[in-house]
Amino acid sequence: MIKKTDLKVDEQLYMLLTVLDNLKEGVNVVDENGKLIYVNKASACYAKSDVKDMIGEDIKKFYPKAALLQLLKTRQSQNDVKVIHDDGRIYIVNAVPLIINGQFKGGVATFRDITEIERLSQKLE
């Protein structure tokens, strides 16, 4: 476990961003208006885009059925939501509110592509 005093804030941020960017799961963070403020490499890959092209854009542009859209309406977590995109890809998504100093500031979602798992499961049935 890392103690707060072991690393400087900028080192902690760099470490966290390195971890997030190297996850196989997609990660999106939106502000309270649905604008993307963080996207990891996996999410950009799923969206067939580049991270730099996604930041500042409305999440609906890349993920029109995003669980984060429901979270922005309800401010409630969305757990293990199955989302089927227009291209037929199937994702399992978890989204949680982003609360900073007691104020709602947007949301964070993690997701993974389960298309192949779903197809194999259907074949087995």
Side-chain angles (χ1 to χ4, degrees):
M1 182 171 188
I2 297 172
K3 297 178 184 177
K4 284 188 175 185
T5 57
D6 291 343
L7 294 173
K8 295 177 185 172
V9 173
D10 60 334
E11 292 172 331
Q12 290 178 21
L13 179 60
Y14 178 78
M15 183 180 65
L16 177 62
L17 291 174
T18 300
V19 169
L20 292 173
D21 276 338
N22 287 286
L23 292 174
K24 290 185 180 185
E25 292 80 11
V27 179
N28 291 323
V29 181
V30 295
D31 67 13
E32 62 272 15
N33 299 310
K35 299 291 182 197
L36 289 160
I37 57 175
Y38 175 81
V39 175
N40 75 346
K41 292 176 190 175
S43 176
C45 183
Y46 286 143
K48 297 181 174 102
S49 188
D50 292 313
V51 170
K52 62 180 174 39
D53 295 331
M54 295 176 73
I55 300 298
E57 296 290 336
D58 194 299
I59 192 168
K60 288 183 277 192
K61 179 177 179 179
F62 303 98
Y63 296 106
K65 297 178 181 177
L68 279 169
L69 297 172
Q70 183 65 24
L71 178 137
L72 291 172
K73 289 179 189 173
T74 65
R75 298 185 178 189
Q76 299 294 313
S77 294
Q78 305 292 308
N79 297 310
D80 298 323
V81 176
K82 187 188 290 187
V83 177
I84 303 172
H85 285 277
D86 294 337
D87 65 0
R89 304 298 296 174
I90 304 167
Y91 299 91
I92 213 67
V93 185
N94 288 289
V96 295
L98 183 58
I99 308 293
I100 300 174
N101 295 326
Q103 293 187 0
F104 179 79
K105 295 291 185 175
V108 179
T110 60
F111 60 95
R112 64 186 173 278
D113 188 332
I114 62 165
T115 306
E116 293 306 315
I117 295 169
E118 286 285 313
R119 288 181 183 153
L120 288 172
S121 176
Q122 290 172 1
K123 283 183 182 179
L124 289 173
E125 289 175 5

